[in-house]
Every structure is written in structure tokens, then in C-alpha cells.
Amino acid sequence: MLQISRLRNAKNLVIEGLRKRGWTDGELIILDQIIEADDYRKKIQTANDELLAQRNRISKEIGQLFKNGKADEVQSAKLKVETLKSEISENEKSLSEFVETIQNLLYKVPNVPHPKVPAGKTDKDNLLVKDWDGELPNLAQDALPHWDLAKKYDILDFELGVKITGAGFPVFRKQGARLQRALINFFLDEAINAGYEEIAPPLLVNEQSGIGTGSLPDKEGQMYYMEKDDLYLIPTAEVPVTNILRNEIVKSEDFPFKFVAYTPCFRREAGSYGSDVKGLNRVHQFDKVEIVQAQHPDLSHETLDEMVSYVEILLQKLELPYRILRLCGGDLTFASALTYDFEVYSAAQKKWLEVSSVSNFEGFQANRLKLRFNDEFGSKRLAHTLNGSALALARIIAALLENNQTPEGIKIPEVLKSYTGFDMIK
RNA sequence: GGAAGAGUGGCAGAGCUGGUUGAAUGCACCGGUCUUGAAAACCGGCGUGCGAGAGAUCGUACCGGGGGUUCGAAUCCCUCCUCUUCCGCCA
């Protein structure tokens, strides 16, 4: 959530940033509405605090009068308060109205993109910061996409998922299930070795947590919702894990907080059909290992770079061809200030698949979470939060299956063999 | 799901027959005195949000969340949530 103080102090920069997201003059009006509403709010509060002070003073006097046995003077004092009270309650009513209005306006403003973010509307405008400089896998003419490989080796069953649940809930079987579990363990072990604390969080979260990371109130549609219990299925471990630090004032010497969590992720994914969503490319439930950090604002962009290279090494270890993109303003998610996407080449589909997204949210989530720290001058500042997938399993599996297919079977990358217990899917 | 009890500052723990109680006391923490240094002892400081002010500082709100009664509520009432114990059910 945008800080009003930032809007007041650096409005031009905020506008400049939002323009990168393609915001028009008409949309930018909201910024003035926020400032205006906030001005009113301040005015009312100043006036109301004065009235409250009067009320408190008189009430104290009444207490004294009783003590001194001057009960006869009490009545006139009570009358004075009576007139104050109606004024106060009216002020408080409009005060809470303004607070709510401001809140709702602020919820509509996405994070201000970092200066490094290129302007642009769609994924075509994303900046390729690192291209794959090696060979792309050169598969045989009859190479199969992963959904056909899944059938051939009986490791992944989409139709069965339809029977049990519905479309988009694949069932992994046999070596497919083992591969899945191997990847999870591999990713977790790597993260732990890199100093991340492993978390096993709840998969259902309350509304407050959803708001904390910016998943609510805007994107209810993306999440599965349990109406009876007022809980949401997590779309990513980011939500429960980042909320560990909600409402905390941390010590700056405790930075960085580094968490890793494996969880299934649930996405309702309203939207497109066709080849983009075929197979494992887009599903309602998939597994992901997520890394989350909270960091001092001065260091968060170094941390982002460090997380990017961490993910890069994972892909190298898996021997997958990848490239790195810096997302343009239009492709940036609501809460992010700067995002790098990793794409892995899927040889049989002949397309790049997004397998990881690493973002710095700067103070945007922290402002919603109320995650602060005491700086060296003793004043409170917002921490910065970051996260990244390391990695999303479904698409990694798709790429592994396709890229490593041979006439003899599907080869398992060296680093995974000790986890899978086999070196070939056949 | 049923019954009883409880939720107070970083922690522990008073207050809860309504009126200098934002809240005693202890611990922890920070600064100081003492000490070669440390410990102990002693002195002082030590919550968060919002508003006003150049600032010192002042005002206001917050004692699980929300609402109510009252001139005035941590203290009384309603409601929701959470925790503990007992019972039931269950991986």
C-alpha cells in the first residue's frame, strides 16, 4: 500500500512510476482524491481532539466536585458535556468515513515501479536481461510434449484428476510422483543450505493475511474461498509466510529474515484456454517452493539480486536452458516494485515457460503488514519484503520431461538422482 | 460440538465494589554513577497509531476485536475471536 507521506513528499515520482504501468491522467486523479480526503481527515481530527480534551477535562472536574461534596455544581457540568457529545459523535462518524474512503482509494493504487522497470504494456515489452547463450535442446522430429510423455510413461494423469476433482488438478503417479517429491526435497535442501529457515505454514489463511500481501481485497477472484469459515486457500506460500511478520516491529540487526516453504498453491485462474493452458502449463493446484525475505530498505535491492542469482543456480543445476526478464510496468504484479521472471525453454512445445518470479515489494506489503523496524535514530521505518519461486514444480517438470526425452526414456538430471532413486523414467 | 475459567505494556503480573491508571511491581532492555574491567548496588529512561508544532513538547486514541451504558470504563453490559481445563468426536 502506498504511503500517504510518500505521495505527499514525492508525488511527481509516484506519478512517473504509475505511468510506467500505463496509468492515464484519468486514473491518476485518484492521487489527488487521496490527498484531499486525507486533508479533511486531519482537519476533522484536530477539531475533534480538541473537543475530546474538553470533555475529559470536565469529566475530571465532575469527579473532583463529587469528592468535595459539591454535588449541586455537577448538573451544569454534565450539561456542558452533553452538547459536546453530539458534536463529537458526528465528528467521529465522518472521521471513520474518511478513513474508510482513504483506505479504499489506497487499495486501488498498485506499487510504484522501481526506476529500473521499463515502461510498457504487455509481456512483449519485458526486458531480456539475460538470454540463453548455450544450445537449445535439439530434439528428434517425433519429440513429444509433456502431456503425451505423461501418458506414455504413466506418470501423470489429467483425466483422472478430472474424475476426482475437475480440470486443472493433475494426478502424479509412479515415477512422476517420485520426481515431484524429489524436486521438493532438492529445492528445500538447497534453500536451507543458503541460510533460509524452513517453514511449513497453514494452507488456509484469513482475510487479514490476504490483505497483508496484497492478494486482497483486489484479487478475490484468483483465490478459492471457504465461505463457511471465511478462509482462503493460499495461491502461494508467500501469503502465510510473509504474514509471519505482520504487525511486528523487528530489530534492524535481525535483518535479513529468510524463509523457505514448500506448499501446494491453489489458483482459480479465470481466463484463457487453448495451448497456453494445456497440460501442466496452467493448473489449479501445483506445488511450489517459495523463498521469502524481509530486509532493511537500504539493502533490499542487493538482496533481490542475490535471490535472482540463487534461482539462476538452481536452474543451472537442473541443466535447463533459461532466460531472465525484467518485467515492464504493464506486466508487473500489483504489489511489486521490481520483478525478474525466469523462463525455461520447453523444447517440445518450442516455447519459453515462466517458472519463477522474483520480486522486491519494497515497502508496499510492509505498509499493509505493518512490518517495521527501529532505525539507528530510533524512529520507525517500513521494512522491505521480497520473494521468489525456487521453484514452481509443474512447469519445471514439464520442461524436464520434454527436454530430457530420449528413445530409451527420460533422463533425470544428475543433482536429482539421489533424490529420485532412479536415473531414468521408463 | 457441550461446560467452566481466562485474555492487561517485550515477558511475568497488580488493578476489575467505575473518577490524576497509559496503567503498580518485578524481570528484560537502554543510558549513567561506582569498578582496572565485569557483576552487584544505586540513579534515570524505556509501548503503539493519529493529530498539532520548526522544535522542546502538547493533545487524542488504544488494557483480545467490535458495539453499548455513563459526565467519565482496563474496570459494568452485549457480541465475536482466542487460550486453558473437563467432556464428546476424530486424523
Side-chain angles (χ1 to χ4, degrees):
Chain A
M1 188 163 63
L2 180 65
Q3 289 178 88
I4 296 183
S5 58
R6 182 176 177 192
L7 177 57
R8 287 182 183 277
N9 297 335
K11 191 174 160 194
N12 288 341
L13 293 176
V14 171
I15 289 173
E16 204 177 296
L18 290 177
R19 283 205 191 281
K20 280 196 204 165
R21 286 185 180 266
W23 271 42
T24 61
D25 288 345
E27 289 169 300
L28 287 167
I29 285 174
I30 195 171
L31 301 180
D32 290 318
Q33 293 172 334
I34 290 168
I35 292 175
E36 198 182 331
D38 194 47
D39 285 339
Y40 270 111
R41 194 205 100 244
K42 287 184 180 187
K43 213 176 275 178
I44 295 168
Q45 188 180 330
T46 307
N48 199 236
D49 280 357
E50 173 53 31
L51 294 179
L52 284 168
Q54 279 183 44
R55 187 202 64 184
N56 290 343
R57 205 160 47 236
I58 296 171
S59 292
K60 240 171 224 172
E61 284 167 18
I62 290 174
Q64 283 303 315
L65 289 173
F66 272 122
K67 263 186 194 159
N68 301 335
K70 296 180 182 166
D72 46 321
E73 292 175 33
V74 166
Q75 208 49 39
S76 68
K78 280 191 184 180
L79 278 173
K80 266 194 272 180
V81 178
E82 206 64 49
T83 57
L84 288 177
K85 271 175 84 177
S86 62
E87 227 179 310
I88 287 170
S89 77
E90 218 150 284
N91 276 337
E92 282 178 347
K93 203 175 134 213
S94 59
L95 202 56
S96 62
E97 274 169 18
F98 270 108
V99 168
E100 200 188 323
T101 304
I102 293 164
Q103 193 67 242
N104 288 334
L105 289 172
L106 283 172
Y107 280 151
K108 290 188 184 142
V109 182
N111 202 353
V112 179
H114 186 272
K116 276 167 125 175
V117 171
K121 286 203 172 85
T122 67
D123 53 1
K124 289 185 184 62
D125 301 314
N126 293 339
L127 188 74
L128 189 61
V129 290
K130 183 162 185 179
D131 203 354
W132 179 247
D133 51 9
E135 297 262 310
L136 288 176
N138 195 14
L139 298 181
Q141 274 304 314
D142 57 352
L144 299 170
H146 67 269
W147 48 88
D148 288 334
L149 290 166
K151 268 207 181 104
K152 181 173 172 187
Y153 295 104
D154 195 20
I155 51 175
L156 177 57
D157 194 330
F158 293 98
E159 286 75 24
L160 184 56
V162 172
K163 172 178 163 184
I164 299 170
T165 306
F169 293 90
V171 178
F172 288 87
R173 316 189 68 155
K174 299 178 183 171
Q175 287 182 298
R178 300 267 308 264
L179 175 60
Q180 176 98 341
R181 186 153 54 86
L183 281 164
I184 292 165
N185 284 331
F186 168 64
F187 291 147
L188 284 174
D189 286 349
E190 290 288 312
I192 290 164
N193 287 336
Y196 289 88
E197 174 190 343
E198 183 177 354
I199 304 286
L203 307 182
L204 289 158
V205 293
N206 57 29
E207 186 187 20
Q208 266 309 306
S209 294
I211 290 173
T213 44
S215 321
L216 291 172
D218 239 31
K219 288 173 284 180
E220 271 113 329
Q222 291 284 345
M223 281 194 276
Y224 288 98
Y225 175 57
M226 313 276 135
E227 195 170 2
K228 248 185 165 170
D229 300 289
D230 196 20
L231 294 171
Y232 298 83
L233 272 169
I234 59 169
T236 156
E238 166 195 346
V239 180
V241 173
T242 310
N243 273 281
I244 289 172
L245 296 170
R246 168 151 52 90
N247 259 321
E248 297 288 339
I249 299 174
V250 301
K251 296 200 205 96
S252 61
E253 60 263 34
D254 288 340
F255 285 129
F257 292 82
K258 299 175 77 174
F259 301 119
V260 61
Y262 151 69
T263 68
C265 302
F266 303 93
R267 308 239 171 132
R268 293 187 67 234
E269 302 277 8
S272 58
Y273 293 89
S275 72
D276 277 354
V277 303
K278 196 154 185 203
L280 287 173
N281 292 358
R282 189 167 290 194
V283 284
H284 289 307
Q285 179 185 329
F286 62 94
D287 290 306
K288 181 156 63 71
V289 172
E290 181 83 1
I291 50 176
V292 173
Q293 292 207 35
Q295 178 60 289
H296 191 289
D298 297 347
L299 301 172
S300 69
H301 281 283
E302 278 172 43
T303 297
L304 180 67
D305 293 342
E306 172 200 309
M307 288 167 77
V308 166
S309 29
Y310 172 79
V311 172
E312 192 174 357
I313 289 167
L314 281 184
L315 291 171
Q316 287 169 2
K317 287 184 175 172
L318 290 173
E319 302 162 47
L320 289 168
Y322 65 91
R323 61 181 192 184
I324 307 175
L325 303 159
R326 188 188 296 152
L327 296 192
C328 72
D331 214 21
L332 214 53
T333 57
F334 191 78
S336 175
L338 180 58
T339 296
Y340 290 95
D341 265 13
F342 282 79
E343 294 183 338
V344 155
Y345 192 69
S346 164
Q349 297 181 69
K350 294 198 168 41
K351 66 166 77 152
W352 292 91
L353 297 177
E354 182 197 329
V355 291
S356 177
S357 201
V358 184
S359 304
N360 188 350
F361 302 92
E362 297 183 347
F364 188 85
Q365 289 182 330
N367 193 208
R368 292 186 170 209
L369 293 160
K370 300 280 169 281
L371 165 55
R372 292 152 296 166
F373 69 99
N374 282 308
D375 69 10
E376 63 269 41
F377 308 107
S379 58
K380 267 139 217 84
R381 292 172 64 189
L382 293 175
H384 280 189
T385 59
L386 309 95
N387 68 47
S389 5
L391 288 157
L393 290 229
R395 291 180 188 161
I396 288 287
I397 287 179
L400 283 178
L401 297 181
E402 293 177 7
N403 293 355
N404 296 349
Q405 58 185 303
T406 69
E408 294 77 39
I410 299 165
K411 287 184 296 183
I412 299 297
E414 202 55 44
V415 287
L416 286 182
K417 284 180 184 167
S418 63
Y419 289 94
T420 54
F422 51 81
D423 48 20
M424 185 81 90
I425 293 175
K426 33 185 172 189

